[in-house]
Amino acid sequence: MGGKNKLLAGIFIIGCIVIIGVAATINILSKASTADDNVMYQGVQIGGVDVGGMTEEEAAEVINKHIEDMVNRPVKIIINGNTVETTFAELGFANDGNTHITEAFKAGKPESFMERIFGSVSKKDKEYNLGFTLDKEAVQKFVKEKCTIYDVSAKNSRLKYKKNGKFKATKDRTGLKLQVSETVDKIIDAIEGNLTDGSVEVEAVVKTTEPKYTREVISRCKDMIGSYSTSFSTSTAARANNVQTAAKYINGTILYPGKVFSTIKVIKDRTEENGYQSAPEYSSGKVVDGIGGGVCQVSTTLYNAVLNAELEVVERSPHSMVVGYVAVSRDAAIAGTYKDFKFKNNTDVPVYIWADASGGTLSFKIYGEETRPKNRKIEFEPEILETIQPGADVITEDKSLPSSYRTVTQSAHVGYRAKLWKVVYIDGKEKERKELNTSTYNAEPQYVTVGNQGPSQTAKPSGRPKASKEPEETDKPEATKKPQATKKPQATKKPEATKKPEVTKKPEATRKPEATEAPEVTEAPADTGPAEESDNLEG
C-alpha cells in the first residue's frame, strides 16, 4: 500500500514539474514571439537590403532611401570622346510603387498557437526583389536631344572655277552619325543589367559617313568636253538683255552625276522682276512681243554644247517655225511649262557649265572628264526631208491709211520636216550613224497691211517679200516663187491673176543613212507652275 502511494506521489510530482516546465516554456515562447512580432525576422531582405530586426517603419525608411539612391544614380554616355551625363530618373527609371514592406514584415510570423510552437523558421529567410520600370521613349528622347548634337555631317568637296578653264576642288570631310536605335538599346541593357553598382557608363554607337563627292572625284572635272557659240549681234537691246540674263543664271551650274538639268527651272520665271524685258518671240505662227523673248537662243546654244559633250538629252522640242541662228533640227525651244530643254549628267564626275554672252556672241563650255579616245570624232548632220512653201500673202486693209500705203508686217516662213544625224568617225572613217531627232517647222505666209483711204486704187505692189532666214548648214531646195498679193480694186481695172505657187518636191536624201536605233522617247516635262507669258510663246 505504501509503495503504491509513493508511486502516485512520484507521478504527481513529475506531472507538476512537466506542467510547470511547459508553462514556463510557453511563457518564454510567448514573450519571444511578442518581441518578434514588432520587427522583421532575421534574414529578410528587400531588393538586396537586409531589413532583419527592423520595425516596419524603419524598414520603409531604409528601402525608400535605397530606391532614391538607385533612381538618381549617374549614367555616362561616351560619344566619340565626348561625355554626356544623366541619371536613371531622367531616363525614366522608377520604382513600380511596390516596396514589399508589408509582405516582409509578415514573413515568418505565426498565425496560431500551434504555429508559434511548431512553426517553421524557414519562413524568416525571405528575399523580396524591388520592381522597376524604364521608359524607352524617355531614353530615346534623351538620346535624340542630348546626344546627337555631336553628329558631324559629311562634307562634299566643292568645285570652284578659277579662270581660263582652271578649277580647284575643296577638301572633303568624313561625317560621324550617332545611331539612335542601337544606342538606346545599349543604354537600356546597361541599366537593367546593373541595379547594384554606383554608376553606369555606356559607349554610344557611332558610325562614320563618307562624303558622296570626295576631293579625288571632284578633281577629275578638268577638261572641256563640249562647247558651242551663236551670234545675237543683230538683236534688239531688249532681246540681247534677255539672252544675257538667261546665260547669267546658267553660268556656274554644277551638275552632279545622275542629276537632270532643266532650262526652265535654272533660268527662272521670265518676269521683269527676274531681269527680263519684252522682246520678239513666236506665238501661234506670228512674231509678237513677250517678256523674255530671245531666251530660246540660250537653250538652243546650250543644246548644241550638250550634243558635243555627248551628255544624255532627256527632253528637247523644235520651234514652231525655223530660226536663223542654227540649222534645222539643231534648235531647242522652251515655252510655258510644256516645252523645256533637259539633259542628264550621264558621266561619273560632276560637269561644270560656263556661259558668256558678250560682244554679240553667246557661248557655252561644258567641263568634265574627257574619256573619249583622241582618234574618235563626232559630227552632226541635218537632213531636210520635206520643204513646205508658205501660202498666199495675208492682207489686212487699214482705212486710216492712204491707198498707196503697203508694208510687210511679217516675212514669210518656209516650213520643213527634217532629221538630225549623229555621225561617229574613228581615224577619219565613219563607224556609226545615229538619228537624234525629227523636227517639223510650220510654213507661215507673209503678212501685209495696205491702206484703203480715199478713191479706190489698185495698191502698188512692193517687191516680193523675202522669206525668213533659211536654216544654215543644209542643202535645201529653194522655195518656189511666191505670187504677188494685191488688194481687190473697187472700180479700177481688174489686175491679172497671179499664178498659183507650186510647192517644191520633197528633196532626195543626199545620202541614205545606215539603220539606226529608234530615237529615245523623253518623258513629259514636269509641271513647274504657270509661266508669266502665254503658253504658246517661244523664246
Side-chain angles (χ1 to χ4, degrees):
M1 188 69 178
K4 185 177 181 179
N5 290 334
K6 288 181 181 180
L7 178 60
L8 292 172
I11 293 173
F12 175 77
I13 292 170
I14 292 172
C16 290
I17 293 172
V18 170
I19 291 171
I20 293 170
V22 170
T25 301
I26 290 173
N27 184 52
I28 293 171
L29 289 173
S30 177
K31 289 181 179 180
S33 296
T34 301
D36 288 344
D37 284 345
N38 296 324
V39 298
M40 305 279 186
Y41 273 4
Q42 294 297 328
V44 175
Q45 293 186 358
I46 301 176
V49 178
D50 188 357
V51 293
M54 298 182 187
T55 65
E56 191 171 353
E57 291 77 12
E58 290 171 341
E61 183 178 351
V62 169
I63 294 304
N64 288 334
K65 180 65 169 58
H66 176 67
I67 292 173
E68 182 181 354
D69 290 342
M70 289 189 68
V71 300
N72 287 311
R73 283 189 301 163
V75 177
K76 293 182 178 180
I77 303 171
I78 311 302
I79 309 166
N80 193 38
N82 302 291
T83 302
V84 177
E85 296 186 359
T86 182
T87 63
F88 279 41
E90 190 175 1
L91 298 177
F93 183 82
N95 176 249
D96 61 7
N98 190 354
T99 60
H100 300 288
I101 299 297
T102 302
E103 298 97 312
F105 183 73
K106 292 179 180 180
K109 300 291 194 301
E111 296 181 3
S112 66
F113 177 76
M114 295 304 294
E115 286 183 347
R116 290 179 181 274
I117 298 176
F118 302 107
S120 173
V121 295
S122 64
K123 289 184 177 180
K124 295 185 294 181
D125 300 326
K126 274 287 190 182
E127 291 186 4
Y128 297 90
N129 293 322
L130 289 171
F132 291 91
T133 60
L134 184 60
D135 188 350
K136 185 174 181 177
E137 290 185 1
V139 178
Q140 191 170 39
K141 181 180 179 182
F142 178 85
V143 171
K144 284 183 177 180
E145 294 180 355
K146 301 294 179 66
C147 299
T148 57
I149 62 174
Y150 294 103
D151 284 358
V152 178
S153 299
K155 185 178 180 181
N156 289 323
S157 172
R158 294 184 61 84
L159 188 66
K160 291 187 176 182
Y161 183 81
K162 304 299 285 183
K163 61 180 180 178
N164 300 326
K166 302 297 181 182
F167 295 89
K168 176 184 178 182
T170 62
K171 291 182 179 179
D172 56 55
R173 181 179 66 199
T174 300
L176 296 172
K177 186 173 180 60
L178 183 137
Q179 305 302 295
V180 174
S181 180
E182 291 91 331
T183 301
V184 167
D185 291 341
K186 199 170 180 180
I187 292 172
I188 292 175
D189 290 343
I191 290 175
E192 292 178 343
N194 184 2
L195 299 179
T196 57
D197 293 344
S199 63
V200 171
E201 187 173 294
V202 177
E203 188 79 28
V205 181
V206 178
K207 291 185 179 180
T208 59
T209 57
E210 297 298 327
K212 189 173 183 179
Y213 302 109
T214 62
R215 192 175 193 178
E216 179 183 1
V217 171
I218 297 297
S219 297
R220 289 162 58 188
C221 177
K222 62 182 185 303
D223 309 310
M224 189 178 72
I225 59 176
S227 65
Y228 203 80
S229 298
T230 58
S231 173
F232 63 97
S233 59
T234 59
S235 296
T236 63
R239 187 180 186 280
N241 168 79
N242 296 337
V243 170
Q244 292 167 338
T245 300
K248 178 188 67 176
Y249 283 125
I250 296 175
N251 183 43
T253 298
I254 300 174
L255 193 65
Y256 289 93
K259 299 299 181 180
V260 174
F261 177 99
S262 165
T263 304
I264 287 178
K265 289 182 179 179
V266 174
I267 69 172
K268 301 186 180 295
D269 291 337
R270 282 153 277 166
T271 63
E272 292 180 350
E273 290 76 12
N274 288 332
Y276 293 103
Q277 298 176 12
S278 180
E281 55 190 354
Y282 291 162
S283 175
S284 302
K286 293 184 178 181
V287 178
V288 300
D289 281 345
I291 301 297
V295 294
C296 283
Q297 183 165 351
V298 176
S299 57
T300 292
T301 308
L302 179 58
Y303 171 55
N304 283 273
V306 168
L307 290 180
N308 289 330
E310 296 188 82
L311 300 178
E312 179 184 345
V313 175
V314 175
E315 180 182 337
R316 170 264 173 193
S317 300
H319 287 75
S320 57
M321 299 182 291
V322 292
V323 295
Y325 42 83
V326 290
V328 290
S329 289
R330 297 199 67 159
D331 61 322
I334 57 175
T337 58
Y338 69 96
K339 281 188 178 181
D340 193 3
F341 169 53
K342 297 179 180 179
F343 65 93
K344 181 179 180 180
N345 180 0
N346 56 340
T347 71
D348 297 329
V349 301
V351 297
Y352 182 94
I353 304 173
W354 177 91
D356 179 71
S358 60
T361 300
L362 170 64
S363 299
F364 280 102
K365 294 179 182 179
I366 299 177
Y367 293 89
E369 181 182 34
E370 183 58 82
T371 58
R372 296 168 292 188
K374 292 183 178 180
N375 65 336
R376 179 181 179 276
K377 304 296 180 183
I378 57 172
E379 291 182 1
F380 299 94
E381 296 181 0
E383 177 189 1
I384 293 180
L385 305 176
E386 182 182 1
T387 302
I388 307 166
Q389 297 298 329
D393 292 355
V394 176
I395 300 177
T396 302
E397 293 184 351
D398 189 338
K399 294 182 179 180
S400 66
L401 298 172
S403 301
S404 60
Y405 180 86
R406 187 182 194 280
T407 186
V408 176
T409 57
Q410 181 175 308
S411 298
H413 284 73
V414 177
Y416 298 95
R417 204 164 57 81
K419 285 184 178 181
L420 183 65
W421 297 91
K422 175 183 177 180
V423 186
V424 178
Y425 297 91
I426 304 295
D427 292 325
K429 296 181 180 180
E430 181 178 326
K431 292 296 182 181
E432 181 184 1
R433 178 175 288 263
K434 180 179 180 181
E435 180 182 317
L436 294 184
N437 68 53
T438 299
S439 304
T440 299
Y441 304 92
N442 298 329
E444 294 294 339
Q446 180 172 257
Y447 287 81
V448 180
T449 298
V450 298
N452 187 17
Q453 183 187 63
S456 299
Q457 296 181 11
T458 302
K460 184 179 180 181
S462 61
R464 180 182 179 272
K466 295 181 179 179
S468 58
K469 184 176 180 181
E470 296 179 353
E472 303 170 357
E473 302 176 12
T474 58
D475 297 326
K476 56 184 178 298
E478 296 181 357
T480 55
K481 185 176 181 181
K482 295 184 60 181
Q484 294 181 348
T486 60
K487 173 189 168 186
K488 183 178 180 181
Q490 295 181 1
T492 59
K493 183 179 178 180
K494 183 177 180 180
E496 294 182 3
T498 55
K499 294 181 180 180
K500 183 178 180 180
E502 297 179 1
V503 177
T504 55
K505 295 180 181 180
K506 176 180 177 181
E508 297 181 2
T510 56
R511 179 177 186 178
K512 184 177 179 181
E514 298 176 4
T516 59
E517 300 177 0
E520 181 182 357
V521 178
T522 59
E523 59 183 13
D527 186 0
T528 57
E532 292 293 327
E533 66 278 12
S534 171
D535 275 349
N536 62 353
L537 292 179
E538 298 174 341

